Amino acid sequence: GAAHHAARRARQRAVSTDCVPLVLAYGERSHDGQGGVRYLMTDRALVSLGRAVGRTQRTDNLAGVYVVVSADDEQTVITIGHRFA
């Protein structure tokens, strides 16, 4: 039902911060036009990651995850989120 779906979405959206280095290393980089740089885990990024560390449930969970960092230093994390296709 709808409640089950909402609960699943909430779990999916809980992106843990320990994935940040992986997203920054493998995510596709683009400027967000607002002083940030976005790294997005696209299908292509996931394939690269899977080749490097092996494909696991944890790497699969990164599909659609993005990290936005400050364009000034590309170290300061502004936001972490999940894009649903």
Side-chain angles (χ1 to χ4, degrees):
H4 175 76
H5 176 77
R8 197 175 78 234
R9 271 292 166 92
R11 267 202 310 281
Q12 287 172 333
R13 205 169 282 126
V15 180
S16 95
T17 53
D18 64 5
C19 74
V20 168
L22 289 176
V23 177
L24 295 181
Y26 292 94
E28 293 196 17
R29 185 177 178 276
S30 63
H31 281 270
D32 71 357
Q34 297 163 29
V37 177
R38 186 181 71 164
Y39 290 83
L40 173 67
M41 292 306 289
T42 58
D43 290 342
R44 201 164 72 201
L46 284 171
V47 168
S48 301
L49 174 63
R51 272 198 213 106
V53 303
R55 194 176 159 202
T56 62
Q57 182 71 49
R58 185 167 168 238
T59 61
D60 284 353
N61 286 346
L62 291 178
V65 169
Y66 61 86
V67 175
V68 178
V69 293
S70 167
D72 294 334
D73 61 5
E74 294 206 26
Q75 299 292 316
T76 307
V77 175
I78 297 170
T79 187
I80 302 171
H82 205 289
R83 191 183 76 175
F84 296 101

